[in-house]
Amino acid sequence: MLVHPYRGDGRWLRGNLHAHTNNSDGKFTLTELVRRYEEQGYDFLAVTDHDKLTPLTDVAGRLLLLSGCEVSAGGGHVVAVGITEPIEPRQPRQAIIDAINAQGGIAILAHPNWGKTFCHWQQDDLVALQGYAGIEVFNGIILRDDGSPLASDRWDRLLSQGHKVWGYATDDTHNERDIANGWTMVLADDATPDAIVRALRDGRCYASSGVFLEAIEVGGEVIRIVTRNADRIAFVGPYGRWLSWVDASRAEYRVRGDEGYVRVEAYGSRGSVAWTQPFWVA
């Protein structure tokens, strides 16, 4: 049996979960940031200035705005989405995660492979911490900074040890070079901030740096993927091992029963990728 989050109906919404304004270290005002994401066709945007909640009032436009912050001072960075009150950053990271959850938000551990040591987060910390929703499997700002924007290696180590956490892709926007490098597609019940946060918490989403998925289907023991613009699809198992792959825009995989989990990576042009959440083999 396959246990996975892609159940039920809903509407696919495209959004960025990690963005900064000039209220912390970003270039743009909130109004300008919203305009730029609207021009890109996004449906929602989480505003996550460092260690502060930026007010989201008096902003015109159709974009759904999610309140949040990037808790950064004093340790590993935690992106908080869907919170309503500031969170003291200089405390243990478990306490920060607990505070985010208590407000009904979700906690995402940011850019695990940022920095010259490719280790903003120690793997032991990713294992020890409890209650966070997932990690940034792709963080776009690291394209122009030290380290790697990718963290699928960290994700597979967690999944392979039984930690059921999700993968998200973000821009971590600070200036115009960062916009639309990575995003998360959410299957939400409604086009509301609360529905988006619920879907993110439940894993009803996929991460992308440029590839769009048209269908994620499960029939019996078969996973089927249809993409808009991929030319290779890989089915990935424990510790990052490719179980099967095909050079095509659609593919399917029949589960054997001993995989533990299967997730999908779909590859497109210029190094773009989409990552599904794991399908747990029960």
Side-chain angles (χ1 to χ4, degrees), residues 50-53 68-73 78-81 83-93 95-103 105-107:
H50 287 281
D51 297 326
K52 62 180 69 175
L53 286 177
C69 73
E70 181 176 7
V71 184
S72 51
V78 183
V79 176
V81 177
I83 61 172
T84 57
E85 299 292 335
I87 292 176
E88 167 55 47
R90 298 186 182 279
Q91 58 178 321
R93 266 34 200 167
I96 289 169
I97 293 169
D98 294 343
I100 294 169
N101 290 334
Q103 292 190 36
I106 63 167

Side-chain angles (χ1 to χ4, degrees), residues 123-124 127 151-163 234-244 256 258-265 267 278-280:
Q123 191 69 21
D124 287 348
V127 170
S152 56
D153 60 329
R154 304 298 204 93
W155 194 23
D156 277 317
R157 290 168 69 185
L158 287 167
L159 296 176
S160 301
Q161 296 170 10
H163 299 277
F235 295 88
V236 182
Y239 294 102
R241 177 165 50 94
W242 282 23
L243 305 168
S244 176
R256 299 188 309 263
D258 61 351
E259 292 93 343
Y261 73 89
V262 179
R263 61 177 184 83
V264 182
E265 294 183 350
Y267 294 84
F279 299 79
W280 297 96

Side-chain angles (χ1 to χ4, degrees), residues 6 12-17 42 135-140 143 149-150 155 167-172 178-186 205-214 227-230 264-269 271-277:
Y6 300 111
W12 284 105
L13 302 173
R14 180 187 183 192
N16 180 29
L17 301 172
Y42 277 59
I135 68 170
E136 290 181 337
V137 71
F138 178 87
N139 177 293
L143 290 167
L150 300 170
W155 194 23
Y168 308 96
T170 73
D171 281 341
D172 197 352
D178 304 326
I179 292 176
N181 287 326
W183 58 85
T184 299
M185 298 292 298
V186 174
C205 56
Y206 70 86
S208 179
S209 63
V211 172
F212 289 90
L213 305 184
E214 299 285 2
T227 76
R228 182 187 310 173
N229 58 334
V264 182
E265 294 183 350
Y267 294 84
S269 62
S272 59
V273 187
W275 299 263
T276 71
Q277 305 303 338

